[in-house]
Amino acid sequence: MGLYLRHPLSFEHDTGAHPENAERVRAIERELDSVGWYGLEIVEAPAASVEQLERVHPRAHIDAIRELSESGGGMIDLDTVASARSYEAALHSAGGALHAVDRLLGGDETFGFCALRPPGHHAERSRAMGFCLFNNIAVAISHALAEHGAERAMVVDWDVHHGNGTQEVFYDSDRVLFCSIHQSPLYPGSGDEGEQGAGPGKGFTVNLPVAPGAGPDEFLSLVQTVIVPLAREYRPALIGISAGYDAHRDDPLAECELDEASYGDMAASLRDLAAELEVPILVCLEGGYALDALAASVSATIAALSGSVQPRTAPAGAAERQRRRLARRWESLSG
């Protein structure tokens, strides 16, 4: 069984005339309602505590977001806005991911999908940016490591924009393998192949940038022939997905060429991996701004995670350069 985490305050994070707005979650839920929700257990997301957020964010950052919201909100930067209810919404957005980890690592559920906003993967330790206030998936992964005895975790970020915040949080750690497929060049300008981690974390940041126009073969080949072998070698106790849907061909903010079936294939590939490793999958909603494409792609993701239909096999050659590059560090890619 899968979990679907939601909260009414996701609709109260008022961004105005902005691509990241409440209509995104409404579109997703209309689509899921039309297909019967795939048997998901719908769970109201609790709020994260300040102490849980502090595993990732310093108290000064948390207090700054709270104070801005309590004053009525305002612009944080040219892209990122808070309203009067944004701090509360952000607590539940992070709290849903935390609760999903508790259920996934303490029960029989195989995956949890957190359809909550604001999103999180651009939020750095001390900086809200890129529509994100707190880094939901980083808070949840840190919780898994601290409270559930997980030795290692993996984050797969397939948002078309690089997950700079998640990378920053875990950059010097060997306990989180962070893999990002993202368009380059594109906001936020990070995610170069040379960004590989530091200190104990050297080699545990794996950036897989793709060019504008990249399509289903490139993305799926990177998942199946790079990320899956890395996970088998790394053996995480939890797989997190920063699930942005803005690499869809209809999305207005990037130039990649995925369709909803592409997301189903990537999700099914990671579902099979998780079953092989006997670990659950945590999914946190990130980007995706073409409403119909977003809703259909989320539906395809959840259908894949809930079912047993096999993904198509991508042409291996699409990722061969990345395999050769990374084989110097990872034995699983040397064959």
Side-chain angles (χ1 to χ4, degrees):
M1 179 178 289
L3 306 173
Y4 180 89
L5 283 295
R6 70 181 308 277
H7 197 275
L9 279 169
S10 287
F11 304 104
E12 300 298 320
H13 170 51
D14 184 4
T15 55
H18 190 287
E20 201 298 291
N21 62 65
E23 290 305 312
R24 300 176 65 233
V25 177
R26 291 191 179 98
I28 290 168
E29 295 191 347
R30 282 195 300 270
E31 174 65 22
L32 293 178
D33 192 56
S34 75
V35 297
W37 290 87
Y38 298 108
L40 294 169
E41 178 186 347
I42 301 173
V43 179
E44 184 165 298
S49 69
V50 169
E51 291 72 24
Q52 289 170 323
L53 294 180
E54 284 184 307
R55 292 198 181 101
V56 169
H57 301 289
R59 186 62 173 265
H61 172 74
I62 300 166
D63 287 346
I65 300 300
R66 176 180 55 78
E67 291 165 5
L68 179 60
S69 290
E70 288 176 350
S71 70
M75 298 301 297
I76 295 171
D77 60 25
L78 290 176
D79 301 307
T80 310
V81 62
S83 66
R85 305 299 300 276
S86 293
Y87 174 71
E88 297 170 89
L91 290 181
H92 286 276
S93 195
L98 287 161
H99 182 74
V101 165
D102 288 338
R103 291 284 300 272
L104 294 172
L105 294 180
D108 297 327
E109 289 84 4
T110 57
F111 75 93
F113 192 102
C114 302
L116 296 155
R117 52 185 299 274
H121 76 146
H122 290 308
E124 298 180 349
R125 286 189 181 275
S126 299
R127 182 185 180 192
M129 61 179 287
F131 315 162
C132 304
L133 304 182
F134 303 135
N135 195 312
N136 306 318
I137 201 162
V139 169
I141 293 293
S142 297
H143 177 69
L145 300 177
E147 298 294 332
H148 286 278
E151 294 185 10
R152 294 175 299 279
M154 181 178 194
V155 176
V156 178
D157 189 326
W158 69 43
D159 191 287
V160 80
H161 302 93
H162 180 243
N164 60 292
T166 311
Q167 174 175 294
E168 184 217 29
V169 170
F170 299 119
Y171 201 64
D172 61 355
S173 174
D174 60 0
R175 298 186 67 194
V176 178
L177 176 60
F178 173 69
C179 300
S180 176
I181 309 173
H182 53 274
Q183 180 181 315
S184 179
L186 193 66
Y187 179 92
S190 54
D192 185 84
E193 291 175 359
E195 297 169 17
Q196 299 175 11
K202 183 70 172 179
F204 294 94
T205 291
V206 178
N207 283 311
L208 303 166
V210 298
D217 286 351
E218 290 94 333
F219 275 74
L220 187 58
S221 184
L222 288 168
V223 170
Q224 291 179 341
T225 70
V226 177
I227 290 173
V228 167
L230 290 182
R232 288 180 176 139
E233 182 173 349
Y234 186 68
R235 310 296 296 186
L238 173 68
I239 297 170
I241 303 175
S242 269
Y245 295 94
D246 37 10
H248 195 285
R249 63 192 178 199
D250 293 342
D251 198 90
L253 299 189
E255 294 85 35
C256 287
E257 295 291 333
L258 301 192
D259 56 18
E260 48 268 32
S262 308
Y263 291 104
D265 286 332
M266 291 193 294
S269 300
L270 295 176
R271 175 204 68 209
D272 290 348
L273 168 69
E276 175 187 331
L277 299 179
E278 298 182 327
V279 301
I281 295 177
L282 167 70
V283 188
C284 290
L285 178 65
E286 304 290 358
Y289 308 103
L291 296 183
D292 290 345
L294 169 66
S297 299
V298 169
S299 183
T301 298
I302 293 175
L305 294 176
S306 301
S308 58
V309 174
Q310 291 302 299
R312 74 180 182 90
T313 300
E320 187 57 32
R321 188 185 69 81
Q322 292 290 4
R323 285 179 57 87
R324 290 197 305 269
R325 176 178 72 86
L326 294 165
R328 294 189 292 271
R329 168 63 180 79
W330 295 93
E331 184 178 345
S332 58
L333 300 180
S334 62

